[in-house]
């Protein structure tokens, strides 16, 4: 008898009791639980892992607390440029989108690219054009506006800091947060899937693309091994081809999911200087959620288990 | 005593004696040899493999015969959108660019992104802005114009064919060519590097990005294993994470360069339906250049060997 399981994350970074108020903590926990519930609802009804990770990521995109969709941070030009990806483990099908604006749910667009475009990765204005052709829902700039994130941008916009992660305090060393959301799932049919979505970095410039929409780096799924969704300093995750490396360590070297994920998060990325975390699930429904930063918004739900939602180490 | 070696490709596809005139054949051979010479000149003087692959790819970008740089094909909008990437095996440093226009040598921009941007991948107008900041050489549209390629676009522009590779005949089943150029090299210091550059697909739309600028897919280098540059239907190469998979088959499963490259080109990609080829070099200077299409423009030069330039199977 097959089982199902789902895990999600809402970003990693300098997240500790000192940087979050009790009220914020409750809001984050409630947002993570709602996303898990949205995903589990699909899995319980024998739906696909693809539909489940899409539903979970959409819930996080629609929550202004997380840096994806509605809560996307501001670029240097005070716009929102969002990236997302989705991958299915059964046939290694994948879709991804980069640098789109005004799309309510970028992960849905990644899904449409996988299902209908004949391509894997579409970017920028061209991707927006594809979304219009597919009758996607667009939102006005207002929908994505938050005073808090706008203030974050204004604080650093005129500095040379082009790669700062969004901060939550006025301290000279503001907490780093790698704002990304993601989900991985195993469905009752035995299929794995992964999805990731992000608004990128506050004050990002030059059309920078991180690891989120890079298949094999921030997002990867393969029924033989695992499904992975990452959050962290994207450049390191691209160079280390994190998602696919975990899969290869399992397939070619015989490591378990946990061993392979720990090898990346606590050794390879650490040695390169890459901070962040990831969530992984294997074909048996084992889940691991390692990170080398102070905290990571994360949660999981297995078929016969309780909801698990955690923030700190 | 270390040795050096370099290999290059100028794209794969339906390339046979029937589709190329003897005059064209000589031009291609001459272009490939010039690129090998440009790369070898660097290696012979104890230069880095990074400089060598950049020089070789620039030579191919400057040659209107190849679909990269000057010879880039036309998009649906009759513009040129070019992609390129470069990676160093020593520290896994990488730079890549996607969807840039009017840049004479995209591979140089990928190199500048690696060396100076703090990012790995920049795209679109933002990447052009970074190039202006770095005082890059821009060319007018005229520089990239070729009547031959413009006619290719006009033939298919009003059809639903949004994913056709550039063709060379009027036959109902025009030959497919996966226009991409690339180079891999080992230098006298024992360092590997890879670089790839492309104009993409004729009539491409929606900001489609192929495997060329995706680190781990079309371009990858790791001193522990190999350097790889791919050419083919990019979507399959992204989904199979080709460059990094070859590296993992060598590192984790103990396959030789040739065995690992053959596994990808003749098995994994073939089973998915992915046509094309690649060039690979390992840390000992072994070179392999497999392809599953009819032909591939390719060549290699080792320290004490002759120039090898080939087109057909």
């Amino acid at each position: 008898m097959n089982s199902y399981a789902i895990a999600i994350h809402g970003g990693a970074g300098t997240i500790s009791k000192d940087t979050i108020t009790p009220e914020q903590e409750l809001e984050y926990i409630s947002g993570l639980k709602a996303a898990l519930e949205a995903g589990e609802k699909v899995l319980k009804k024998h739906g696909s892992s693809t539909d489940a990770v899409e539903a979970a990521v959409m819930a996080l995109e629609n929550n202004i607390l997380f840096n994806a969709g509605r809560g996307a941070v501001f670029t240097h030009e005070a716009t929102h440029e969002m990236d997302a990806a989705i991958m299915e483990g059964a046939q290694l099908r994948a879709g991804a989108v980069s640098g789109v604006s005004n799309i309510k749910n970028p992960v849905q667009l990644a899904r449409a690219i996988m299902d209908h475009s004949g391509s894997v990765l579409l970017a920028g204005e061209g991707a927006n054009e594809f979304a219009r052709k597919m009758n996607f829902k667009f939102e006005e700039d207002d929908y994505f506006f938050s005073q808090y994130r706008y203030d974050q941008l204004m604080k650093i916009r005129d500095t040379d800091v082009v790669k700062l992660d969004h901060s939550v305090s006025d301290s000279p060393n503001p907490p780093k947060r790698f704002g990304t959301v993601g989900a991985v799932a195993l469905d009752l049919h035995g299929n794995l899937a992964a999805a990731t979505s992000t608004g990128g970095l506050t004050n990002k410039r030059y059309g920078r693309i991180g690891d989120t929409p890079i298949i094999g780096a921030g997002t990867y799924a393969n029924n033989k091994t695992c499904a992975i969704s990452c959050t962290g300093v994207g450049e390191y995750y691209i160079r280390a081809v994190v998602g696919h490396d975990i899969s290869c360590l399992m397939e070619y070297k015989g490591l378990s999911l946990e061993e392979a994920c720990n090898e990346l998060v606590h050794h390879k990325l650490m040695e390169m200087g890459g901070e962040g975390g990831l969530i992984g699930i294997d074909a048996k429904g084992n889940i691991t959620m390692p990170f080398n930063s102070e905290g990571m918004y994360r949660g999981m739900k297995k078929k016969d288990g309780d909801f698990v939602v955690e923030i700190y180490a």
Side-chain angles (χ1 to χ4, degrees), chain A:
Chain A
M1 179 59 192
N2 281 330
S3 190
Y4 67 74
I6 183 167
I8 60 167
H9 70 80
T14 314
I15 302 166
S16 69
K17 290 267 184 196
D18 300 336
T19 57
I20 299 179
T21 66
E23 293 72 29
Q24 286 174 326
E25 187 178 303
L26 284 176
E27 284 176 32
Y28 277 111
I29 288 171
S30 157
L32 291 166
K33 186 145 181 281
L36 280 175
E37 284 170 345
E40 197 205 10
K41 195 174 158 188
V42 175
L43 296 172
K44 196 184 281 183
K45 292 179 181 169
H46 294 73
S48 73
S49 50
T50 311
D51 288 338
V53 294
E54 183 182 353
V57 168
M58 281 176 66
L60 295 164
E61 286 177 339
N62 294 342
N63 187 329
I64 200 158
L65 288 174
F66 300 101
N67 175 19
R70 188 173 179 199
V73 298
F74 285 92
T75 67
H76 182 75
E77 291 76 20
T79 59
H80 301 283
E81 289 179 3
M82 300 173 287
D83 304 336
I86 194 164
M87 186 163 187
E88 286 184 336
Q91 302 289 331
L92 306 179
R93 295 200 317 134
V97 63
S98 179
V100 282
S101 301
N102 299 95
I103 300 282
K104 185 180 182 192
N105 290 108
V107 72
Q108 274 192 310
L109 182 53
R111 173 77 185 266
I113 289 165
M114 173 171 83
D115 290 343
H116 304 296
S117 77
S119 298
V120 168
L121 175 55
L122 301 182
E125 180 44 41
N128 270 38
E129 188 191 333
F130 178 75
R132 282 189 292 274
K133 186 188 159 200
M134 298 295 293
N135 295 313
F136 258 71
K137 188 165 172 56
F138 283 76
E139 295 285 352
E140 298 293 321
D141 290 345
D142 285 356
Y143 174 80
F144 301 92
F145 184 86
S146 99
Q147 191 63 47
Y148 161 65
R149 289 203 153 84
Y150 189 73
D151 294 343
Q152 286 181 327
L153 172 65
M154 286 304 128
K155 267 184 216 159
I156 59 169
R157 191 182 190 178
D158 295 328
T159 68
D160 284 337
V161 180
V162 293
K163 279 196 60 193
L164 196 76
D165 301 291
H166 55 112
S167 72
V168 291
S169 84
D170 292 324
S171 80
N173 291 307
K176 288 177 288 184
R177 296 215 185 155
F178 313 114
T180 306
V181 308
V184 294
L186 168 71
D187 64 30
L188 288 168
H189 314 283
N191 289 317
L192 293 170
T196 316
S197 181
T198 187
L201 305 173
T202 297
N203 203 29
K204 77 174 172 188
R205 296 183 74 169
Y206 306 126
R208 178 260 188 193
I209 300 178
D211 62 314
T212 296
I214 307 299
I215 299 301
T219 307
Y220 189 69
N222 187 333
N223 274 7
K224 283 186 191 167
T225 52
C226 60
I228 303 289
S229 173
C230 300
T231 173
V233 186
E235 280 69 18
Y236 297 101
Y237 283 68
I238 293 175
R239 291 165 52 202
V241 201
V242 171
H244 185 255
D245 201 36
I246 291 167
S247 176
C248 290
L249 283 167
M250 294 175 68
E251 184 177 358
Y252 304 145
K253 214 176 169 181
L255 268 61
S256 70
L257 173 76
E258 192 177 358
E259 289 168 342
C261 289
N262 284 341
E263 172 66 19
L264 265 293
V265 172
H266 295 299
H267 295 99
K268 287 193 179 187
L269 284 169
M270 288 287 270
E271 283 155 25
M272 294 170 83
E275 199 181 335
L278 58 83
I279 53 174
I281 189 169
D282 70 15
K284 291 178 182 165
N286 295 307
I287 286 172
T288 184
M289 305 188 283
F291 52 95
N292 59 37
S293 46
E294 270 194 63
M296 181 168 81
Y297 301 111
R298 62 200 187 276
M300 57 181 246
K301 174 76 175 74
K302 297 189 181 187
K303 183 161 172 268
D304 300 313
D306 294 325
F307 281 94
V308 175
V309 174
E310 294 172 310
I311 299 180
Y312 314 109

